[in-house]
Amino acid sequence: MQFGIFSVSDITTDPTTGRTPTEAQRIKDIVTIAKHAEEVGLDVFALGEHHNEPFFSSSPTTTLAYIAAQTSTLQLSTATTLITTNDPVKIAEDFAMLQHLADGRVDLTLGRGNTGPVYPWFGKDIRAGIPLAIENYALLNKLWREHTVDWQGKYRTPLQGFTSTPRPLDEVPPFVWHGSIRSPEIAEQAAYYGDGFFANHIFWPASHTQQMVQLYRQRFEHYGHGTADQAIVGLGGQVFLNKNSQQAVKQFRPYFDNAPVYGHGPSLEDFTSQTPLTVGSPQQVIDKTLGFREYVGDYQRQLFLLDHAGLPTKMVLEQLDLLGSEVVPVLRKEFAALKPAHVPDAPTHASLIAAKAAKDAKKEEVKA
C-alpha cells in the first residue's frame, strides 16, 4: 500500500501569528515539504491545480518536474488535474514529458475541480462539467495509446492524423486515478476504463465514501477488469499529530477554526467525529486510518493533507516526522497483514510495464 501526502496549495494567513507567506515562499516551501516526505519514507506526493487566489499551483507539472530532479523514489501525482478545463492534448503532452523526466515516477488524478469561475476563464461551461470530463478523458486515453489519432467530439476542434509527443515512456501511459467527492458518473468512468478511483474523503461522512467506492467496485467487476475487491482505490484524509492528544487539539484548533474551507462552521470536535479528520496522537491516527478499511475494503493508496489552513512549514515538517516514524510503519504492517493475496498493490511504472508485457505475450500465443 502506498502512503503519502497531498497539497491543495493554499496560501493562508497563520491565525496564531497573523503572517501570510508570499507566493514565492509558499512555492519554495512545497518543494521542501515534498523532499522531506521522501526523506521520512513516504511513497507519494500529490499537488493540486488551481487558477485562482488564494492558491499558487496553476502548473503542477512544472513543480513536480522540479521535485523529480531532487528526489529518487517519490511517486509524483496530482490532486487534481482539471480534465474539464484543460485541453486533453496538452495534458497528454505535459504528463508524458514529466514521465520521461521522472523516470516513470508519475501518475495523475483527474477531476472537475471545485471552483466554478474556472470554467468561463478557460472558455468552458460549468453546466457541461460531466460531459466534458467524459469526452476529454476519452481523447486523452486515446492519445496515449494510439500513435496516430483521428478524432472528433463536441467540445474541441477535431484532430486528423495527430501524434502526441513525446510518446509515453516505454509505451506505457501514466496510471490515471479519477477523483470525485460526489459524482457517481466519475466512479462509473473510472470503472469503465479499469482505472483507479480516488475518493477525497475529507469533508464527507464514512457512509457517503462507502457508497461511492462500492459503486466503483461493482462497476469495475461489471466491465470485466477483475473482481470488485481487486479494483484500485485511493483515499484522501487529513491529520494533525502530537505525541500528546490534548496538545494536538490545542495546537490545531486555531487553524481549524479559521481554515478557508471549514472554518467558522462545525466545531473541531463535531468535525472529527463525523468525518475522517483525525487530530490527536499517532495511535489515534493509526486506529482511525485502519478503520477506513472497514467501509471501503482493501485499498491501495492513502494520502494525507498536512499543509492546509496556514500551518507554518516548520510545523508541517514536524508532522511529517511523526507520520513517517510512528504512523506509517505501523499502518504498512497492519494493512499488509490484512490484505488478501489476490488484491493488487498500487500500480507503478514497473508493474504497468510487466502487465503490458504479459498482455503482449498472451496476444502472441493466441496468434500462434
Side-chain angles (χ1 to χ4, degrees):
M1 185 167 172
Q2 293 177 337
F3 293 92
I5 58 172
F6 71 100
S7 175
V8 296
S9 83
D10 62 305
I11 300 175
T12 303
T13 300
D14 183 335
T16 68
T17 65
R19 296 173 185 164
T20 305
T22 64
E23 286 181 325
Q25 186 60 56
R26 190 76 170 91
I27 290 167
K28 293 291 186 183
D29 286 349
I30 206 67
V31 175
T32 299
I33 290 167
K35 290 165 63 178
H36 199 58
E38 179 175 276
E39 291 166 357
V40 301
L42 300 189
D43 306 305
V44 183
F45 174 76
L47 183 60
E49 178 186 352
H50 289 274
H51 298 274
N52 58 291
E53 294 180 332
F55 305 97
F56 69 80
S57 183
S58 58
S59 179
T61 52
T62 305
T63 312
L64 294 176
Y66 188 73
I67 293 168
Q70 301 178 66
T71 55
S72 58
T73 62
L74 197 64
Q75 184 78 7
L76 304 169
S77 190
T78 55
T80 62
T81 295
L82 302 179
I83 187 61
T84 46
T85 51
N86 280 307
D87 184 351
V89 172
K90 196 70 171 72
I91 296 176
E93 294 173 339
D94 285 350
F95 280 89
M97 180 67 77
L98 177 59
Q99 189 190 34
H100 280 271
L101 292 171
D103 296 323
R105 293 184 287 126
V106 174
D107 56 52
L108 66 160
T109 303
L110 299 176
R112 291 181 292 140
N114 60 5
T115 309
V118 172
Y119 283 80
W121 294 341
F122 287 86
K124 306 298 181 183
D125 186 339
I126 193 172
R127 293 169 294 185
I130 292 292
L132 275 165
I134 293 170
E135 181 178 293
N136 282 354
Y137 182 61
L139 175 55
L140 175 60
N141 186 274
K142 190 179 184 74
L143 289 166
W144 273 339
R145 287 163 177 81
E146 297 180 17
H147 185 271
T148 305
V149 171
D150 294 313
W151 181 89
Q152 184 168 352
K154 181 178 180 180
Y155 296 104
R156 78 175 313 282
T157 53
L159 297 173
Q160 293 182 347
F162 179 77
T163 298
S164 174
T165 58
R167 302 304 299 152
L169 179 63
D170 301 314
E171 299 181 11
V172 175
F175 185 75
V176 171
W177 303 80
H178 299 259
S180 180
I181 296 175
R182 61 188 182 276
S183 302
E185 297 92 340
I186 302 304
E188 175 77 14
Q189 182 183 41
Y192 175 79
Y193 288 98
D195 294 336
F197 179 69
F198 190 87
N200 196 357
H201 199 227
I202 288 182
F203 306 119
W204 292 74
S207 58
H208 175 80
T209 300
Q210 180 182 33
Q211 288 179 334
M212 291 289 287
V213 173
Q214 281 184 344
L215 171 63
Y216 160 68
R217 289 189 182 280
Q218 291 166 359
R219 301 302 289 170
F220 182 94
E221 181 171 316
H222 168 79
Y223 288 115
H225 300 298
T227 59
D229 61 350
Q230 292 176 315
I232 309 298
V233 174
L235 295 183
Q238 186 176 4
V239 297
F240 185 88
L241 301 105
N242 189 293
K243 290 190 176 184
N244 179 286
S245 59
Q246 289 80 13
Q247 189 65 20
V249 172
K250 182 179 179 180
Q251 283 183 305
F252 189 63
R253 189 180 298 280
Y255 296 98
F256 176 88
D257 288 346
N258 294 280
V261 176
Y262 44 61
H264 310 288
S267 69
L268 176 58
E269 287 73 18
D270 285 346
F271 207 83
T272 52
S273 67
Q274 297 171 23
T275 77
L277 172 65
T278 313
V279 180
S281 67
Q283 189 59 52
Q284 287 175 303
V285 172
I286 290 167
D287 292 342
K288 192 161 186 178
T289 305
L290 287 173
F292 298 164
R293 182 180 177 274
E294 296 175 7
Y295 54 89
V296 301
D298 292 286
Y299 62 109
Q300 284 75 14
R301 174 175 285 185
Q302 175 65 58
L303 301 184
F304 296 107
L305 176 63
L306 297 181
D307 70 328
H308 179 55
L311 266 70
T313 299
K314 180 178 181 293
M315 189 179 288
V316 175
L317 298 178
E318 292 168 350
Q319 293 287 298
L320 276 170
D321 288 336
L322 284 172
L323 198 63
S325 63
E326 299 197 25
V327 174
V328 168
V330 178
L331 290 176
R332 285 194 200 281
K333 182 179 178 181
E334 294 294 330
F335 275 114
L338 293 167
K339 184 173 79 71
H342 70 280
V343 173
D345 293 327
T348 63
H349 188 66
S351 70
L352 295 173
I353 288 175
K356 181 179 183 299
K359 186 176 180 180
D360 290 345
K362 189 172 183 180
K363 286 181 179 177
E364 291 300 320
E365 287 179 11
V366 172
K367 288 181 182 178

